[in-house]
């Protein structure tokens, strides 16, 4: 068993591929770090929260609604209580992304390089990891294999057991990542229009004691928000 499992998703992925910069905004890649020894206990608790609110379908940021608000606020409160779960996200403004200058003109390569940046900074010596991402169609089929290889090379004292794509509709941890990264993305992009989403963001900010779009230091572990400026140091 690995020491940690990392479940990753993104918000506004299309901004990585907008070569004309026709839309301004922030793209995000985020992940939940799960203490693997606590996986079954946390999974069972998520199942209990679902059962309590009679929600058995997929949950995600775009599905937050008035009808399901008590489920989502309960889920968020559980996340902040649960020591086995940590969240990290990297935030990128699309007009600072330059695939031509920095990434061989390959927007897909750029996208996965930032996945690498998200994960590599929190690989700790002596620990083992499995990384899971949502299934997506890539132009080059070896993207996950190369991500795996370069993450392993980034820290030879940690072990990267695998980088694997899973259907998010079947994995609660991927859905929870979607929810958190979607909330941060909406706060950064200032497009929180629905009342239930406003309530949920307020709930999250109350737990944090700060706005969701407040960039944290590298060492803030529970809910880390890294406002990345490509080409500059942390």
């Amino acid at each position: 068993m690995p020491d940690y499992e990392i479940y990753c998703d993104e918000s506004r992925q299309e901004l990585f591929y907008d070569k004309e910069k026709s839309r301004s905004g922030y793209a995000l890649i985020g992940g939940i770090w799960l203490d693997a020894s606590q996986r079954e206990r946390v999974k069972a608790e998520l199942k209990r929260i679902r059962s309590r609110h009679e929600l058995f379908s997929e949950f995600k940021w775009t599905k937050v609604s008035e009808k399901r608000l008590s489920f989502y606020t309960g889920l968020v409160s559980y996340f902040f209580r649960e020591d086995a779960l940590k969240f990290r996200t990297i935030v990128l403004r699309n007009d600072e992304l330059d695939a031509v200058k920095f990434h061989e003109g390959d927007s897909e390569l750029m996208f996965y390089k930032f996945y690498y940046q998200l994960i590599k900074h929190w690989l700790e010596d002596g620990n083992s990891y499995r990384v899971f991402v949502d299934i997506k169609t890539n132009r080059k089929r070896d993207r996950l294999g190369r991500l795996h290889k370069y993450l392993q090379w980034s820290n030879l004292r940690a072990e990267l057991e695998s980088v694997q794509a899973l259907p998010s509709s079947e994995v609660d941890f991927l859905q929870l990542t979607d929810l958190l990264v979607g909330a941060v993305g909406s706060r950064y992009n200032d497009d929180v229009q629905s009342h239930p989403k406003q309530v949920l963001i307020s709930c999250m900010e109350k737990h944090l004691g700060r706005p969701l779009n407040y960039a944290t230091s590298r060492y803030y572990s529970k809910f880390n928000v890294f406002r990345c400026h490509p080409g500059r140091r942390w």
Side-chain angles (χ1 to χ4, degrees), residues 92-188:
L92 301 133
R93 188 170 174 85
N94 76 320
D95 58 13
E96 297 175 344
L97 300 173
D98 193 332
V100 174
K101 184 175 181 179
F102 297 112
H103 308 284
E104 305 168 27
D106 188 336
S107 296
E108 186 177 277
L109 174 63
M110 176 174 65
F111 173 73
Y112 280 99
K113 281 185 177 181
F114 284 115
Y115 247 102
Y116 169 85
Q117 291 294 328
L118 169 74
I119 297 168
K120 79 158 190 172
H121 291 289
W122 287 283
L123 299 179
E124 298 179 350
D125 293 355
N127 286 337
S128 59
Y129 300 85
R130 289 179 186 163
V131 178
F132 301 96
V133 301
D134 192 11
I135 292 174
K136 55 181 62 65
T137 301
N138 294 316
R139 183 173 51 80
K140 291 191 175 181
R141 298 181 63 183
D142 66 341
R143 292 299 191 197
L144 294 186
R146 291 175 68 83
L147 177 61
H148 183 190
K149 179 173 68 174
Y150 286 116
L151 283 171
Q152 183 62 79
W153 286 354
S154 74
N155 188 336
L156 297 177
R157 296 182 180 180
E159 181 183 358
L160 262 293
E161 294 187 6
S162 62
V163 177
Q164 180 181 355
L166 297 175
S168 62
S169 60
E170 299 176 10
V171 183
D172 280 357
F173 297 116
L174 286 174
Q175 293 172 43
L176 181 57
T177 304
D178 176 281
L179 180 69
L180 299 180
V181 76
V184 178
S186 287
R187 195 72 160 88
Y188 261 95

Side-chain angles (χ1 to χ4, degrees), residues 181-222:
V181 76
V184 178
S186 287
R187 195 72 160 88
Y188 261 95
N189 286 288
D190 194 26
D191 67 351
V192 187
Q193 297 178 359
S194 76
H195 175 259
K197 287 182 177 179
Q198 291 172 355
V199 171
L200 189 58
I201 284 180
S202 295
C203 174
M204 296 170 72
E205 292 180 338
K206 183 176 180 180
H207 281 286
L208 286 169
R210 59 173 173 79
L212 284 183
N213 58 347
Y214 177 86
T216 64
S217 77
R218 175 177 178 177
Y219 303 101
Y220 192 90
S221 62
K222 179 63 178 180

Side-chain angles (χ1 to χ4, degrees), residues 1 5 9-10 16-17 19 22 37 53 63 70 78 83 89-90 107 115 141 163 177 194 206 229:
M1 175 184 290
E5 295 176 350
D9 204 356
E10 58 279 335
F16 284 96
Y17 301 91
K19 295 180 181 180
S22 59
S37 69
H53 295 276
K63 292 193 173 186
S70 62
Y78 171 68
D83 291 338
T89 187
I90 183 170
S107 296
Y115 247 102
R141 298 181 63 183
V163 177
T177 304
S194 76
K206 183 176 180 180
H229 299 275

